[in-house]
Amino acid sequence: MDGAGRLARSLRSLRPQADLKAAAIGAVVLLREWLGLRARIKAPIDRTPPNRIILWLERTLPSRTGVILTVLMLLGSAGLGIVKGGHLDDFTAALSDTRNALANSAGFRITTVAINGRKQLSQDEVLAIGGVNGRSSLLFLDAATVRDKLKANPWISDATILKFYPGQLQIDIVERSAFALWQQDGRLSVISEDGAVLEPFVARRFVSLPLVVGKGADSKARDFLALLDRYPQVRSVTKAAVFVGERRWNLRLKDGLDIRLPENDVGNALAVLTKLDKDDKLFSRDITAVDMRLPDRLTVQLSEDAAKARDELFKDKKTKKKAGDA
């Protein structure tokens, strides 16, 4: 019995140890599985160490910086495409029209335009030169730009732009006056007193203007023609003033007579011409040129017919003289 009793006690004493062992084994298995799962989750993230620059950017820049940079890159690409494709002017014009349309709808449409000082140019020409059209709004109209465009036109020497909100525009211009016709290299142009070329000569209304010819004549015409005006007897028969070698002037008279003026003391030469025509009818004589370039003499060139008549006259005189001697 003791044996049976001892056996029974042994079995009862081993059961708690087996339970503890089984619990320990289960805990180990669960721990291994949990550790294995964590390893499987972290392995793809920690596989390569992150770049230091990337880490610094992630910590420093705001969270939406990437989106902003992407948008900027897209805008830069679009802008580069516009420039490379040659569409910049079209894009600028479209943008200007859009903002002007918005301003016009808000009540800043140009409804009244007053232009003062124009004589040669029409109102439509002034507006076109200044870049003002039906799409322009007073709000976005750049007065300085309009003024610069107007002054770039040779007919306009100065301009003033005034804006009266919400829709009145006033343009005051100072026009140049047509002063003379200038011929160079076969081209005929209308010029102002300061020598500015206003336009090619096509309008018949400028036909009565004095004619100056030659390189540099455009800038010297005002002073020379003012001097010529002091001698109306010469001026009235002058067809053209020719600037020779950018140094001196020749006069071409209406009957074809050429007068070669000296480089200096031109006023005295014109006074001499006036006296010779008054006393001796110089301009009515059968001559082709008068050379006044030398200060101590005046040389006259006869026409071909006058030269022949003169030669025959001398021959007759010589013949009569020889006959008398005989």
Side-chain angles (χ1 to χ4, degrees), residues 181-224:
L181 300 178
W182 173 44
Q183 179 180 326
Q184 183 184 13
D185 299 331
R187 296 189 301 270
L188 197 59
S189 306
V190 181
I191 62 173
S192 63
E193 283 191 0
D194 58 2
V197 176
L198 302 178
E199 63 178 51
F201 173 66
V202 292
R204 299 299 300 173
R205 68 180 185 272
F206 299 125
V207 71
S208 61
L209 294 175
L211 174 63
V212 294
V213 182
K215 183 179 180 182
D218 52 337
S219 60
K220 300 291 186 179
R222 178 175 57 185
D223 294 337
F224 178 74

Side-chain angles (χ1 to χ4, degrees), residues 213 215 242-250:
V213 182
K215 183 179 180 182
V242 182
F243 200 42
V244 181
E246 298 186 64
R247 297 184 300 106
R248 63 174 194 85
W249 292 91
N250 283 351

Side-chain angles (χ1 to χ4, degrees), residues 286-297:
D286 195 6
I287 57 178
T288 59
V290 176
D291 193 342
M292 307 180 72
R293 290 176 293 178
L294 298 177
D296 58 343
R297 72 188 66 180

Side-chain angles (χ1 to χ4, degrees), residues 42-53:
K42 291 184 178 181
I45 299 177
D46 299 332
R47 183 169 51 204
T48 57
N51 189 286
R52 293 182 179 179
I53 297 178

Side-chain angles (χ1 to χ4, degrees), residues 19 31 40 42 76 99 115-117 119 134 145 220 226 240 267 271 300:
D19 294 337
L31 181 61
R40 285 194 299 274
K42 291 184 178 181
R99 69 173 187 174
I115 301 178
N116 303 317
K119 296 177 181 178
T145 300
K220 300 291 186 179
V300 175

Side-chain angles (χ1 to χ4, degrees), residues 59-221:
R59 294 172 183 172
T60 306
L61 298 179
S63 58
R64 297 186 180 275
T65 301
V67 177
I68 296 174
L69 291 176
T70 302
V71 172
L72 291 177
M73 289 179 62
L74 292 175
L75 291 176
S77 299
L80 182 62
I82 291 173
V83 174
K84 290 290 187 180
H87 306 298
L88 182 59
D89 292 340
D90 296 337
F91 176 76
T92 303
L95 187 62
S96 177
D97 289 345
T98 300
R99 69 173 187 174
N100 281 327
L102 293 174
N104 288 336
S105 63
F108 294 99
R109 183 181 299 276
I110 299 175
T111 57
T112 305
V113 178
I115 301 178
N116 303 317
R118 64 178 183 84
K119 296 177 181 178
Q120 300 293 338
L121 300 172
S122 67
Q123 176 168 313
D124 291 340
E125 287 174 330
V126 172
L127 292 176
I129 293 169
V132 181
N133 53 47
R135 299 185 301 274
S136 302
S137 68
L138 196 66
L139 182 63
F140 291 113
L141 186 71
D142 189 340
T145 300
V146 175
R147 181 175 184 268
D148 291 341
K149 288 181 179 180
L150 289 173
K151 291 187 64 177
N153 184 276
W155 276 107
I156 301 174
S157 62
D158 200 3
T160 303
I161 314 300
L162 300 175
K163 299 181 358 177
F164 300 98
Y165 289 100
Q168 183 178 352
L169 177 65
Q170 179 176 321
I171 301 176
D172 299 326
I173 64 174
V174 178
E175 282 191 353
R176 290 184 173 92
S177 299
F179 175 69
L181 300 178
W182 173 44
Q183 179 180 326
Q184 183 184 13
D185 299 331
R187 296 189 301 270
L188 197 59
S189 306
V190 181
I191 62 173
S192 63
E193 283 191 0
D194 58 2
V197 176
L198 302 178
E199 63 178 51
F201 173 66
V202 292
R204 299 299 300 173
R205 68 180 185 272
F206 299 125
V207 71
S208 61
L209 294 175
L211 174 63
V212 294
V213 182
K215 183 179 180 182
D218 52 337
S219 60
K220 300 291 186 179

Side-chain angles (χ1 to χ4, degrees), residues 228-287:
L228 191 60
D229 283 337
R230 294 165 55 184
Y231 304 91
Q233 193 165 343
V234 180
R235 176 68 182 266
S236 63
V237 295
T238 298
K239 179 181 180 180
V242 182
F243 200 42
V244 181
E246 298 186 64
R247 297 184 300 106
R248 63 174 194 85
W249 292 91
N250 283 351
L251 295 180
R252 171 66 60 89
L253 303 191
K254 294 177 181 179
D255 61 356
L257 175 62
D258 282 328
I259 299 177
R260 299 161 189 168
L261 296 173
E263 184 175 349
N264 302 310
D265 202 8
V266 180
N268 183 61
L270 293 174
V272 171
L273 284 174
T274 300
K275 187 175 187 307
L276 287 174
D277 185 61
K278 183 178 179 179
D279 297 343
D280 302 322
K281 305 298 180 183
L282 178 68
F283 300 152
S284 302
R285 292 182 176 275
D286 195 6
I287 57 178

